[in-house]
Amino acid sequence: MQLQHANLPETAQQIADVIGVENTMELVRAKQGKGQFLYVPTSKRLRPSHVLVQILGAEVARELAEEFGGIQIKLPKCRSLLNEDRNQKIIQMRQQSMKYHDIAVELCMSVSSVKMTYSRWIKSHN
């Protein structure tokens, strides 16, 4: 699913202007539940072991460090976009004949939540 830049909260839009929407959402996904504040080191202090390099890769992390280096960013939750992305994955997996159980395991969800999401999509498209 292609996420829209315009649907992002302001802080996420600023990050996406530098590293793109998909990389921004990858960063948000990776930091969910681990604290929403992220210190971005300067590009001179960015090391291969830094969380940004681990999540985004060295080149993208360097781009972020060049723009935001030396400051702490409050990452938005982007909950609605993450849910929309997850729901699209459920739909695609079901259309590829994956079992509810397998989808639930892959997406760390309950089977009932996967079924409910898919049935709502079916109802909205009939």
Side-chain angles (χ1 to χ4, degrees):
M1 179 180 111
Q2 185 84 24
L3 296 170
Q4 298 291 325
H5 187 278
N7 294 337
L8 295 173
E10 184 178 350
T11 304
Q13 286 182 11
Q14 293 170 349
I15 296 168
D17 287 343
V18 177
I19 63 171
V21 175
E22 291 300 326
N23 285 325
T24 300
M25 293 308 296
E26 189 61 35
L27 181 59
V28 169
R29 279 185 207 98
K31 294 301 288 177
Q32 288 298 311
K34 298 176 184 152
Q36 294 300 310
F37 286 95
L38 177 68
Y39 176 74
V40 180
T42 62
S43 56
K44 290 181 183 178
R45 304 191 110 200
L46 188 65
R47 303 286 178 252
S49 60
H50 193 275
V51 67
L52 286 174
V53 176
Q54 300 300 311
I55 295 168
L56 300 170
E59 181 62 29
V60 176
R62 185 189 55 74
E63 291 172 10
L64 193 64
E66 286 177 3
E67 183 69 26
F68 296 101
I71 65 171
Q72 189 172 29
I73 298 174
K74 183 177 189 303
L75 292 175
K77 292 183 181 177
C78 300
R79 181 78 56 213
S80 63
L81 287 175
L82 292 174
N83 287 343
E84 185 179 323
D85 186 45
R86 180 207 60 208
N87 293 349
Q88 283 300 117
K89 288 178 184 175
I90 291 169
I91 293 161
Q92 290 171 353
M93 291 172 168
R94 280 299 296 157
Q95 290 176 335
Q96 294 170 357
S97 302
M98 279 185 75
K99 296 178 181 177
Y100 289 112
H101 178 306
D102 296 337
I103 296 170
V105 169
E106 187 165 327
L107 298 178
C108 300
M109 297 175 66
S110 70
V111 173
S112 62
S113 292
V114 172
K115 285 181 178 181
M116 181 175 58
T117 300
Y118 190 68
S119 71
R120 284 181 180 163
W121 180 80
I122 291 288
K123 288 178 185 175
S124 72
H125 286 80
N126 282 335

